[in-house]
Amino acid sequence: MKTNFIGAVVLCVFVCSADQMTTMAQNVSTEQVTTATSSGTTEATTATTEATTATTNVTAQTTPTTPNATSEAPTTNSTMEPTTKANTTSEGPTTAPTTAPTTAAPTPMPPKSTYKVMAGGKTCLIMEGSFRMMVTINKTTLIVDVPSDKEVNVTGMCASGNETESSITITPKSGALKSLTFDFKINKNKDMADKSELVSMSAEVMVDGKVEPISANKTLLVLSNPKLFYKCDVGSNFTADKVIFKYEQLKVQAFNVENEKFAENGEDCSEDVGPIPAPGNIPVNTYAVTEGNKTCIVFKGSMKFVIPYVAKSGNATEPVGLPEKFTVSGSCNTLLHGEVSQKMEVKFYEDWILTIYFTDSDNKTDVQNQLTADSSDKYFISQIELEYEYNSNLFVKADESVLGKKAKFTAANLTLWETGKDKSYMCNKESTINLSSKDGFELTVSKVQYQAFKKGNSNAFGDASECAADEETNSIVPIAVGAALAGLVIIVLIAYLIGRKRSRAGYEQTY
């Protein structure tokens, strides 16, 4: 009995101890899991908060912050989720979605407007275009557009008789720009045509509640001859002390306005004309005429015209080369004087057009057969036309009697650079073609290769027929090389004979 009582007590103690140890183990495990879960959630919360902060900073520089993005921070309920999710969240900070910086589109220029100065009920000065000023005063930069002609008052001063000065003042009815004045003057030249110039600008602009004066007292733009208008569609800008003045679609005539409108002729700005190559550095361009999927003409070469004109000092000529900037059009099927032909048109210097006709030497009379342009045995250049304008950018010394006028030159009935069907013509050596013996109109070319009546859509040339000048050069080279080699052989032979003679004389003397 006593033994059984002791055994029961021991068993009870063992069981209770086991229960207590199990409880402690559960507590320890629970604390570890809770601690791990809380720690993981805390790290995830911090990482997510940092990522959210990063997203907010990037967005603030580019676009307004999205409310949903900032409300995705972890909630208190996340600490009650299984440890697995806490571990997943704590593997690293959530990568903030990167917002690509957006480049603000440039503000479009204001619409083109026309401003006129009236005197005696008649228009005496016309200025049109799109104008903008960027004014910087006391570290404050303000963009000011010149309002349309319906939102301003226009006054000014007109030149009459032999007067050489005029001006226009634009006064907006509202806005930051209070007034804008341009002053023009005629600059008389001895060796070239007179020029009208924009010699100064002044304005008043409201900046930070204060009207600030702006002025530029220097020659800002050299315009056209006073009897012509000046045009600059591409536009440009000029800079004064406090302002950058930008203009586009500019057209102005400050003197000699007749019949309430611009003169019939005008001059283009250098920006519209484009780069003008130096006479000794004409580029080698490639021109191709394509219709549909067929390329029928490919022309490569350097071309320069010598154009006669009237200078202020008398008759003169001006070399004008084709620039790198151009556009090409043409026709693969056309007729010239009743003969099957193809033509290439090259437009350059704003409104110059060079047209070259290539004619089939097989003179058929059936128009339908001619338009196939596929049966020629030979072809050649039959006509060259050049439409051009006397612009002071190209004809610097031109007399005012020709400035702004357009002209056209045609050299017809040519048989130039004939070559066979499916072949090209090539002439690398520079040559000059006298297109008109009467007035000295010339075309100088070099590194030329062309092919017309091509088939397919490739720009590749067929086998080349070389010009006589190249053939002479090609024949001279081997002759010169052969002569040099022959001379070298003779020199070696003479040296050998002299050396042998000296050797024999030395031997005889020793003996």
Side-chain angles (χ1 to χ4, degrees), residues 167-243:
S167 67
I168 180 173
T169 298
I170 300 170
T171 307
K173 299 174 183 179
S174 62
L177 178 62
K178 299 306 176 183
S179 68
L180 175 64
T181 299
F182 294 105
D183 296 307
F184 302 92
K185 186 176 181 179
I186 296 176
N187 183 12
K188 293 186 174 293
N189 296 287
K190 180 180 178 181
D191 298 326
M192 57 189 70
D194 297 342
K195 287 286 187 179
S196 60
E197 299 178 351
L198 174 58
V199 294
S200 68
M201 181 201 76
S202 59
E204 291 183 336
V205 180
M206 181 72 74
V207 180
D208 294 334
K210 182 181 177 181
V211 176
E212 296 284 353
I214 298 170
S215 63
N217 298 312
K218 61 179 182 179
T219 300
L220 302 172
L221 282 176
V222 176
L223 304 173
S224 60
N225 180 265
K227 296 181 180 180
L228 309 174
F229 66 79
Y230 174 84
K231 180 178 72 68
C232 196
D233 288 332
V234 172
S236 186
N237 63 73
F238 54 80
T239 303
D241 184 30
K242 302 175 183 177
V243 64

Side-chain angles (χ1 to χ4, degrees), residues 52-66:
T52 305
T53 302
T55 305
T56 304
N57 290 337
V58 172
T59 307
Q61 297 173 3
T62 53
T63 56
T65 306
T66 305

Side-chain angles (χ1 to χ4, degrees), residues 77 94 102 134 142 326 338 343 430-431 440 451 510:
N77 293 335
T94 303
T102 56
M134 182 179 291
L142 187 66
F326 59 85
K343 72 174 180 178
E430 181 177 288
S431 59
Q451 184 172 355
T510 302

Side-chain angles (χ1 to χ4, degrees), residues 133-150:
M133 295 191 298
M134 182 179 291
V135 183
T136 303
I137 297 177
N138 298 328
K139 298 183 179 180
T140 298
T141 299
L142 187 66
I143 294 178
V144 181
D145 290 339
V146 179
S148 69
D149 53 305
K150 296 180 180 180

Side-chain angles (χ1 to χ4, degrees), residues 286-292 294-299 303 322 325-334 341-348 352-358 385 387:
T286 299
Y287 315 93
V289 176
T290 301
E291 285 187 351
K294 178 182 178 181
T295 299
C296 59
I297 302 172
V298 179
F299 190 108
M303 291 188 283
L322 269 68
K325 182 182 177 182
F326 59 85
T327 57
V328 182
S329 60
S331 174
C332 294
N333 293 301
T334 189
S341 300
Q342 296 181 339
K343 72 174 180 178
M344 176 182 76
E345 292 183 346
V346 183
K347 186 175 182 180
F348 55 103
W352 288 45
I353 301 176
L354 167 64
T355 304
I356 300 177
Y357 286 89
F358 307 87
E385 300 173 355
E387 299 176 49

Side-chain angles (χ1 to χ4, degrees), residues 198-491:
L198 174 58
V199 294
S200 68
M201 181 201 76
S202 59
E204 291 183 336
V205 180
M206 181 72 74
V207 180
D208 294 334
K210 182 181 177 181
V211 176
E212 296 284 353
I214 298 170
S215 63
N217 298 312
K218 61 179 182 179
T219 300
L220 302 172
L221 282 176
V222 176
L223 304 173
S224 60
N225 180 265
K227 296 181 180 180
L228 309 174
F229 66 79
Y230 174 84
K231 180 178 72 68
C232 196
D233 288 332
V234 172
S236 186
N237 63 73
F238 54 80
T239 303
D241 184 30
K242 302 175 183 177
V243 64
I244 298 174
F245 191 92
K246 183 178 180 181
Y247 57 90
E248 291 180 359
Q249 303 178 77
L250 173 65
K251 191 174 182 180
V252 57
Q253 186 170 348
F255 303 92
N256 302 296
V257 174
E258 297 178 356
N259 301 320
E260 308 292 314
K261 60 183 181 180
F262 288 109
E264 182 179 350
N265 297 319
E267 294 189 76
D268 298 320
C269 65
S270 59
E271 289 81 4
D272 283 0
V273 171
I276 301 172
N281 190 29
I282 309 300
V284 177
N285 298 323
T286 299
Y287 315 93
V289 176
T290 301
E291 285 187 351
N293 60 352
K294 178 182 178 181
T295 299
C296 59
I297 302 172
V298 179
F299 190 108
K300 183 179 74 172
S302 168
M303 291 188 283
K304 177 181 66 178
F305 286 92
V306 175
I307 303 175
Y309 73 103
V310 178
K312 195 166 184 178
S313 58
N315 293 331
T317 58
E318 185 70 28
V320 180
L322 269 68
E324 293 180 341
K325 182 182 177 182
F326 59 85
T327 57
V328 182
S329 60
S331 174
C332 294
N333 293 301
T334 189
L335 290 176
L336 178 66
H337 308 309
E339 297 180 356
V340 60
S341 300
Q342 296 181 339
K343 72 174 180 178
M344 176 182 76
E345 292 183 346
V346 183
K347 186 175 182 180
F348 55 103
Y349 295 147
E350 183 73 3
D351 46 16
W352 288 45
I353 301 176
L354 167 64
T355 304
I356 300 177
Y357 286 89
F358 307 87
T359 295
D360 185 343
S361 62
D362 185 4
N363 296 320
K364 295 188 295 290
T365 57
D366 186 345
V367 173
Q368 295 299 322
N369 288 337
Q370 287 183 8
L371 290 178
T372 61
D374 285 332
S375 60
S376 172
D377 292 324
K378 290 185 178 182
Y379 62 91
F380 52 88
I381 292 177
S382 58
Q383 187 161 302
I384 297 175
E385 300 173 355
L386 181 65
E387 299 176 49
Y388 57 100
E389 180 185 57
Y390 292 108
N391 189 297
S392 59
N393 291 288
L394 294 156
F395 300 90
V396 179
K397 297 182 178 181
D399 187 73
E400 63 181 32
S401 63
V402 299
L403 276 176
K405 292 185 178 180
K406 298 181 184 299
K408 181 177 180 178
F409 173 82
T410 300
N413 302 318
L414 302 175
T415 307
L416 188 64
W417 302 341
E418 186 177 63
T419 187
K421 180 181 178 181
D422 297 329
K423 288 188 175 183
S424 64
Y425 175 89
M426 182 174 68
C427 194
N428 288 312
K429 193 171 182 179
E430 181 177 288
S431 59
T432 298
I433 305 162
N434 189 353
L435 298 176
S436 173
S437 57
K438 179 180 179 181
D439 50 20
F441 214 106
E442 295 179 348
L443 171 62
T444 299
V445 297
S446 64
K447 300 178 182 177
V448 167
Q449 186 170 10
Y450 88 92
Q451 184 172 355
F453 299 97
K454 282 173 54 64
K455 298 177 182 179
N457 57 3
S458 171
N459 284 8
F461 291 107
D463 293 340
S465 300
E466 293 184 89
C467 64
D470 281 2
E471 289 178 351
E472 290 176 4
T473 302
N474 293 338
S475 61
I476 289 173
V477 171
I479 292 174
V481 172
L485 290 175
L488 183 61
V489 169
I490 292 173
I491 292 172

